[in-house]
């Protein structure tokens, strides 16, 4: 009887010891999974554990696109390791004091699982983060060739929701891209053509946006008076400038002085040419007269009886 009682006591002691061991392991070994959301271009901080004095810390990053990477720290060697991680993924502080991870300028490619493994003397601690990245869409609102408002929410993740302030029966169209973003396009369809401003509202987890526009059907555009005033004003100035230049040029032509008339030059050679025939004639007469006088004197004849020349 005593031996049987001792066996029962020993069995109960073993069961209690096993239960205590399981409880301690359950308390010291954690496996938590948390979903976090970040926006493209922002910074994301992931904490591993508020506990310190860890002997080893390891971050395992497993993105949806691309290869895995890891960051590690060993306290016994005071050494950090980095494997295939970009500069945007790094320790926020010193890993021996705080093993928090920071992702700078989040991109869509960073989406995935981030697992922290912390080894301490009390046990191991595991924590898993599932990172979801949001990409806010780019809102564009314009009028098409038919004067219909068109609203576009480009490259959003997840796809944006488009609605109109005025009632519309349009069905949005979606276009998926390779990076996981989606572009949504919606045309406003109104039952009445008499409309003024139309407002497009884009709803998205990263933030809501809205824009307004006034579209008019072709042929009914209101005439902007500035379109005609400015060309007319320029035409008037141009005409006045041309008239002024023409008058100024005409006045210069009318008041232009004529050059003085130059008297014909009188050369001494011309005078000699005109006097020379008369001089020659006089010289010939003188020669004839002298010849007759000499002949008369030589013959002692009266001058009236001198032979005729």
């Amino acid at each position: 009887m005593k031996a049987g009682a001792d066996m029962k006591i020993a069995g109960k002691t073993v069961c209690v010891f096993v239960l205590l061991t399981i409880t301690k392991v359950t308390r010291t070994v954690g496996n938590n999974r948390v979903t976090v959301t970040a926006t493209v271009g922002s910074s994301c901080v992931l904490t591993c554990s508020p506990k310190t004095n860890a002997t080893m810390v390891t971050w395992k990053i497993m993105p949806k696109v691309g290869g895995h990477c890891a960051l590690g720290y060993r306290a016994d060697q005071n050494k950090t390791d980095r494997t295939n991680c970009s500069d945007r993924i790094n320790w926020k502080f010193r890993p021996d004091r705080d093993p928090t991870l920071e992702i700078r300028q989040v991109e869509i490619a960073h989406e995935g699982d981030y697992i922290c493994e912390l080894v301490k003397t009390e046990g191991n601690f595991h924590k898993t983060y599932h990172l979801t990245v949001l990409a806010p869409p780019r809102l564009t609102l314009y009028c098409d060739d038919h004067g219909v408002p068109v609203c576009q929410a480009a490259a959003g993740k997840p796809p944006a929701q488009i609605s109109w302030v005025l009632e519309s029966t349009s069905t949005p169209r979606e276009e998926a891209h390779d990076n996981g973003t989606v572009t949504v396009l919606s045309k406003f369809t109104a039952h009445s053509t008499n409309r003024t401003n139309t407002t497009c509202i884009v709803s998205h987890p990263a933030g809501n946006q809205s824009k307004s526009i006034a579209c008019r059907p072709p042929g009914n555009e209101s005439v902007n008076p500035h379109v005609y005033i400015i060309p007319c004003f320029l035409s008037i100035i141009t005409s006045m400038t041309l008239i002024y230049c023409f008058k100024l040029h005409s006045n210069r032509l009318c008041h232009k002085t004529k050059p003085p008339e130059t008297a014909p030059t009188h050369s001494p050679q011309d005078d000699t040419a005109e006097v020379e025939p008369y001089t020659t004639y006089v010289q010939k007469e003188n020669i004839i007269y002298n010849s007759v006088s000499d002949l008369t004197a030589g013959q002692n004849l009266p001058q009236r009886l001198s032979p005729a020349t």
Side-chain angles (χ1 to χ4, degrees), residues 88-246:
R88 296 187 179 183
I89 301 177
N90 206 345
W91 307 99
K92 184 174 178 61
F93 309 105
R94 289 177 53 180
D96 58 338
R97 297 182 180 180
D98 190 347
T100 299
L101 185 72
E102 182 180 17
I103 308 171
R104 303 182 185 92
Q105 296 181 355
V106 176
E107 296 179 346
I108 296 178
H110 292 145
E111 195 171 63
D113 293 332
Y114 294 75
I115 303 172
C116 175
E117 296 179 354
L118 188 66
V119 178
K120 296 176 65 68
T121 56
E122 297 85 358
N124 299 338
F125 180 86
H126 288 220
K127 191 170 185 178
T128 301
Y129 290 94
H130 178 71
L131 177 62
T132 300
V133 179
L134 303 178
R138 298 186 301 273
L139 173 58
T140 304
L141 182 62
Y142 60 93
C143 303
D144 64 4
D145 297 337
H146 303 285
V148 178
V150 180
C151 186
Q152 176 179 278
K157 183 180 178 301
Q161 302 293 326
I162 297 179
S163 60
W164 300 89
V165 171
L166 297 178
E167 183 180 358
S168 176
T169 58
S170 61
T171 301
R173 295 182 301 169
E174 295 185 358
E175 179 184 357
H177 306 288
D178 295 337
N179 60 354
T181 60
V182 179
T183 297
V184 183
L185 185 71
S186 176
K187 287 188 176 184
F188 180 80
T189 303
H191 300 288
S192 174
T193 57
N194 186 13
R195 59 182 182 272
T196 54
N197 286 354
T198 305
T199 302
C200 168
I201 300 176
V202 174
S203 303
H204 193 267
N208 299 333
Q209 306 176 57
S210 64
K211 281 187 178 182
S212 299
I213 196 172
C215 298
R216 294 177 176 81
N220 295 334
E221 295 86 353
S222 60
V223 179
N224 188 353
H226 295 87
V227 176
Y228 298 99
I229 293 176
I230 295 177
C232 291
F233 182 72
L234 293 177
S235 299
I236 293 174
I237 293 178
T238 304
S239 300
M240 294 178 64
T241 304
L242 292 175
I243 294 174
Y244 175 77
C245 293
F246 178 76

Side-chain angles (χ1 to χ4, degrees), residues 21 23-30 48-49 51-57 116-126:
T21 303
T23 302
K24 184 177 180 180
V25 171
T26 304
R27 186 176 67 251
T28 57
V29 178
C48 187
S49 172
K51 301 176 182 180
T52 58
N53 299 325
T55 58
M56 186 169 62
V57 180
C116 175
E117 296 179 354
L118 188 66
V119 178
K120 296 176 65 68
T121 56
E122 297 85 358
N124 299 338
F125 180 86
H126 288 220

